Amino acid sequence: MTRETAPAAPASYLDSDAGLSGWFRTNDHKRIALGFLFWTVGLFMLGAIAACLLKLSVFANGEHDVPVLNQMQTYHGVIMVFLVVVPLIPSVLGYFLLPLQLGARNMALPTMSRMAIGSYIAGTLCILVTLLLYPLSTGWTLATPYSLIDGGSFALFALGLLLVALSWVLTGGNIIVTVHRCRPDWMGFFRMPLLCWSLYLTAFVLVVSGLIFGIAIIFLALIEARGSGVLSGIGDPTNWESYFWFVTTSAGLFAMIPAVGVMSEVISGLARKVIAGYRLIVGALIALLAIALLSWGVHLVGHGQGESLSFVFSILSLLAVIPVAVIVYCWLATLYRGAVAWNTVTVFALTFLICGGIGVLLGLFLTNLSLAAYLDSTIFATAHIHYLLMGGVVTAMLTGLFYWWPKITGRIYDEKWGVFAGVVYLIGFNLAFFPQIIMGTLGQPAGIHDFAAEMADLNRLSATGMGVLAVGLALILTTLIISLLKGAAAPANPWGVASLEWRAASPPSRENFDATPEAIEPYVG
């Protein structure tokens, strides 16, 4: 009598195509997501080092190398906003989870996925090379006409930004096609997980903002070569600002849209309940998308924009409070009587609610015309951007990374160290940026490296908080790396969630699923 041997389980995506060359040649959405994660973490560390060096100048007793500080400020802003915050969630969690949540084997256009990461890497390398050759010191807004006469390696810098914008367009287009072509027959739009919805909406802004930003950068490069043009700032200096803030305001608000999708999935998993108000959250995300595309002019208050136009943009920006309130209400309703446990993901979710909430409240002050004319040019606006983008988007990414880490790597991290890292991160972040809110109300201008004597203690407190924040980030990275080396094997579905990615193995195989997943209802009611 012969004994039949059970078929071997398919190799995970981490083991298939072994060898370094396999990672460079891959079209697998999961490996491409890890490639984006590697690059964004590296760039985030560079941007964080620049920020820490800027803060260390506090202890220089008034002796500053102003050109060097301006260069660090320029690259800190460009790296953090355009190279990290904008692509962070769509390119990492988006590429990894979208096909899994749709029950698909890969993105609809896998070659385009590889083109997107190739364009992104090439663009970042061009920008970093300018830092070594002839750094720019124009500030991260690249304000004209100063950016055209700065003398830095602007042509190579512009090429880098153009390639990064191309990566946005490729990623956005790929997500849109994937949602339309790779959903199973039984999954209508209102049966998609909220993360898929948020990525789908974000993709449209990635395409629009990427195209407009790329065209504007081409115009700037041509103007520098010719010496004149519509965006040169010679006739109307607000021309470039309008283009820039159209892209950046959209980027800032739309970066929050996938963050909302991540947090909705996480809150549902933490509460062990279906999400409350599924259709309300979808409607609120669509409203946020519309507001993101229409409210860029609020940043031009006090910068030469007409009073009537400023009033219109102020009202449009203020309307963002309504969808935000709807989303928070649905989250609280989901958490009500939920089985929430104190763990690493809970700490980071709480951090997101605290820091993101402060960012939204600060935004209300900047939508008031009389206050915005004063506060928008102070360090208050700097604190607002950091609370919204880092306290919101980056924290949401960290929350999602810890939540899906068992699925991504097949390993479990140490909860005690994860909780400790999250608490240090929360304390450090608020110590670093809350004093800037107070300094802004006292009149400290943004981008100025000298401070009045009465603000010395607040500035040192902010610098100390930056150090604590750096320790928190180091603890986060260490916790995740140790889990790769010593972590126990993760179960397929540690959260007991119904969405399709938890039906795949941990980590998933290259094909994601052995068979086509059956119909489910991840959100009911």
Side-chain angles (χ1 to χ4, degrees):
M1 186 175 70
T2 61
R3 179 178 298 176
E4 294 184 2
T5 303
S12 78
Y13 76 98
L14 296 171
D15 299 326
S16 57
D17 288 338
L20 188 61
S21 62
W23 286 85
F24 288 102
R25 294 182 289 103
T26 187
N27 286 334
D28 186 356
H29 67 100
K30 300 178 289 298
R31 288 191 165 198
I32 288 172
L34 291 190
F36 270 110
L37 178 62
F38 174 81
W39 278 95
T40 51
V41 168
L43 290 167
F44 183 87
M45 292 173 65
L46 287 176
I49 290 171
C52 290
L53 292 176
L54 285 170
K55 279 300 176 184
L56 286 176
S57 66
V58 172
F59 304 101
N61 297 322
E63 299 178 2
H64 303 310
D65 189 340
V66 175
V68 172
L69 292 180
N70 288 337
Q71 291 167 3
M72 286 191 293
Q73 198 165 41
T74 299
Y75 283 86
H76 167 72
V78 169
I79 288 173
M80 287 302 201
V81 175
F82 298 115
L83 306 186
V84 176
V85 169
V86 171
L88 186 60
I89 296 179
S91 298
V92 179
L93 294 181
Y95 269 119
F96 194 96
L97 294 171
L98 183 63
L100 286 167
Q101 289 200 332
L102 295 178
R105 297 184 181 276
N106 205 340
M107 299 290 287
L109 305 170
T111 302
M112 187 178 287
S113 304
R114 189 168 62 181
M115 291 172 60
I117 191 171
S119 177
Y120 174 74
I121 292 173
T124 57
L125 290 177
C126 288
I127 292 172
L128 294 179
V129 166
T130 66
L131 179 61
L132 300 175
L133 294 179
Y134 201 145
L136 273 72
S137 58
T138 62
W140 74 282
T141 61
L142 307 176
T144 58
Y146 183 51
S147 62
L148 303 176
I149 59 175
D150 178 62
S153 310
F154 187 80
L156 187 59
F157 191 88
L159 175 62
L161 289 178
L162 182 63
L163 291 172
V164 170
L166 175 61
S167 176
W168 298 359
V169 175
L170 293 173
T171 297
N174 204 351
I175 290 173
I176 293 171
V177 176
T178 299
V179 169
H180 281 278
R181 296 294 300 272
C182 295
R183 284 180 294 120
D185 294 336
W186 53 264
M187 185 183 286
F189 271 97
F190 285 100
R191 294 180 76 179
M192 288 197 308
L194 284 171
L195 179 60
C196 296
W197 258 110
S198 67
L199 292 170
Y200 177 66
L201 296 174
T202 300
F204 287 98
V205 190
L206 276 172
V207 173
V208 173
S209 295
L211 288 173
I212 294 176
F213 189 52
I215 292 170
I217 290 297
I218 292 174
F219 266 104
L220 276 188
L222 292 175
I223 289 167
E224 190 195 33
R226 296 175 54 192
S228 62
V230 67
L231 299 181
S232 64
I234 297 174
D236 185 355
T238 64
N239 283 337
W240 167 252
E241 288 190 74
S242 295
Y243 276 95
F244 178 84
W245 286 115
F246 176 84
V247 174
T248 309
T249 303
S250 301
L253 281 177
F254 93 69
M256 288 298 291
I257 292 176
V260 169
V262 168
M263 296 308 301
S264 298
E265 300 286 338
V266 168
I267 287 173
S268 176
L270 289 176
R272 304 297 200 274
K273 291 172 59 180
V274 297
I275 197 76
Y278 170 85
R279 290 175 180 260
L280 285 175
I281 294 178
V282 172
L285 290 173
I286 295 173
L288 278 177
L289 174 67
I291 293 170
L293 293 172
L294 297 175
S295 60
W296 79 93
V298 73
H299 294 281
L300 301 180
V301 175
H303 293 265
Q305 183 174 256
E307 294 182 358
S308 299
L309 197 56
S310 295
F311 177 76
V312 172
F313 282 122
S314 175
I315 296 299
L316 288 172
S317 299
L318 197 59
L319 290 176
V321 174
I322 299 174
V324 169
V326 170
I327 291 168
V328 173
Y329 173 80
C330 293
W331 287 347
L332 294 177
T334 304
L335 291 171
Y336 180 65
R337 292 187 176 180
V340 181
W342 181 255
N343 54 39
T344 304
V345 177
T346 305
V347 172
F348 280 96
L350 183 62
T351 301
F352 171 86
L353 294 174
I354 293 173
C355 298
I358 292 174
V360 171
L361 290 176
L362 296 179
L364 295 179
F365 291 95
L366 296 176
T367 59
N368 183 294
L369 293 181
S370 57
L371 291 175
Y374 169 68
L375 293 174
D376 198 45
S377 59
T378 71
I379 202 171
F380 182 98
T382 304
H384 168 245
I385 290 175
H386 283 85
Y387 267 101
L388 196 63
L389 297 186
M390 186 169 179
V393 178
V394 175
T395 304
M397 174 63 195
L398 292 174
T399 308
L401 193 61
F402 276 102
Y403 181 74
W404 280 291
W405 189 254
K407 182 60 58 181
I408 295 172
T409 65
R411 298 292 174 181
I412 296 177
Y413 48 82
D414 189 305
E415 284 288 352
K416 292 180 180 179
W417 280 105
V419 169
F420 179 64
V423 171
V424 174
Y425 173 83
L426 172 61
I427 294 172
F429 183 87
N430 285 282
L431 279 178
F433 296 109
F434 200 85
Q436 294 183 8
I437 300 173
I438 302 173
M439 288 190 288
T441 60
L442 295 176
Q444 174 60 40
I448 302 299
H449 308 295
D450 293 316
F451 294 82
E454 59 268 21
M455 299 185 195
D457 291 337
L458 286 171
N459 203 20
R460 290 191 182 95
L461 180 61
S462 177
T464 303
M466 191 70 71
V468 176
L469 177 60
V471 171
L473 291 169
L475 287 172
I476 291 169
L477 186 61
T478 303
T479 300
L480 295 177
I481 291 175
I482 290 176
S483 75
L484 295 177
L485 302 175
K486 299 181 179 180
N493 191 356
W495 301 101
V497 180
S499 50
L500 291 180
E501 77 271 22
W502 298 107
R503 293 194 178 186
S506 296
S509 65
R510 184 173 181 178
E511 300 298 326
N512 293 341
F513 302 97
D514 297 332
T516 303
E518 299 176 357
I520 59 168
E521 291 286 351
Y523 306 111
V524 181

